[in-house]
Amino acid sequence: MESIIVGLDPGSIVGYAFLDLYGNLIDVGSLRGKLDDIVRKVSENGKAIIVGTDVNRVPKFIGKFSAKMNSKIISPNNNLLHIQKKRVTKEYLKFKNIKLKNKHEMDALASAIFAFKAYKKLFNKIDNEIKNEEISNKVKELVLVRQIPIKNALDQV
């Protein structure tokens, strides 16, 4: 199962966005649902190792999601402003034929992009050392979830 980065915007309508560990968009959408509905949707797309939020104070929904999925939470030092989220998602989708349907999807995608960027240097370092994508992704997962050094993760893989 592919490791993924999840961006969530909780509320009565939950926005979600899934990126692979290279920052490629897997899916973006929104749904009315509860935590179990989101867990099911994520599980259909991969294994969430990172979950991003656009607010500094992590919502309870995201804390519960993270605990269920055993994923690392990434939140900004300051809440992301609407203008920042709009700019980053517009730039990200510039050459993609994808239209976001609502604010929830934009917030979720911005959260996923923010989370990806937080680990992009580490991911690049691992990719530079390991040329096999499958092994590289397993190492990334071990480094993030178990918080072990790259060399130890590589030995385990």
Side-chain angles (χ1 to χ4, degrees):
M1 182 171 279
E2 182 181 12
S3 296
I4 62 174
I5 298 167
V6 176
L8 291 177
D9 179 49
S12 57
I13 296 176
V14 180
Y16 61 84
F18 311 141
L19 305 179
D20 67 16
L21 300 185
Y22 296 93
N24 300 309
L25 184 64
I26 297 169
D27 193 13
V28 62
S30 53
L31 56 84
R32 284 192 185 278
K34 304 211 179 318
L35 180 63
D36 288 340
D37 299 321
I38 293 297
V39 167
R40 192 174 314 108
K41 182 75 176 171
V42 169
S43 297
E44 291 169 2
N45 286 275
K47 180 179 180 186
I49 63 170
I50 300 172
V51 57
T53 179
D54 60 351
V55 293
N56 174 266
R57 222 170 132 210
V58 177
K60 287 180 184 176
F61 184 93
I62 291 180
K64 289 177 183 177
F65 173 86
S66 172
K68 266 195 168 201
M69 302 299 285
N70 192 30
S71 56
K72 186 170 184 65
I73 299 173
I74 299 299
S75 64
N77 291 331
N78 299 304
N79 294 351
L80 299 181
L81 302 174
H82 177 76
I83 191 85
Q84 293 172 301
K85 293 183 280 190
K86 191 172 183 177
R87 183 175 27 91
V88 74
T89 55
K90 184 177 179 181
E91 179 64 29
Y92 182 84
L93 296 172
K94 192 174 189 176
F95 299 109
K96 296 173 178 62
N97 191 21
I98 297 168
K99 289 271 190 211
L100 300 176
K101 296 180 194 107
N102 54 49
K103 174 190 172 309
H104 308 291
E105 293 179 9
M106 181 186 73
D107 290 354
L109 181 56
S111 299
I113 294 167
F114 175 80
F116 170 72
K117 286 181 177 180
Y119 284 99
K120 187 176 181 179
K121 284 183 183 178
L122 175 65
F123 290 167
N124 287 341
K125 181 178 180 179
I126 292 169
D127 289 335
N128 288 336
E129 289 185 31
I130 304 164
K131 299 303 176 195
N132 180 303
E133 185 176 326
E134 186 178 338
I135 293 172
S136 176
N137 286 344
K138 287 179 182 176
V139 168
K140 289 172 188 175
E141 182 179 338
L142 288 171
V143 168
L144 287 172
V145 176
R146 292 206 195 139
Q147 299 182 347
I148 60 175
I150 295 170
K151 185 185 180 328
N152 295 4
L154 187 54
D155 291 343
Q156 286 187 28
V157 172

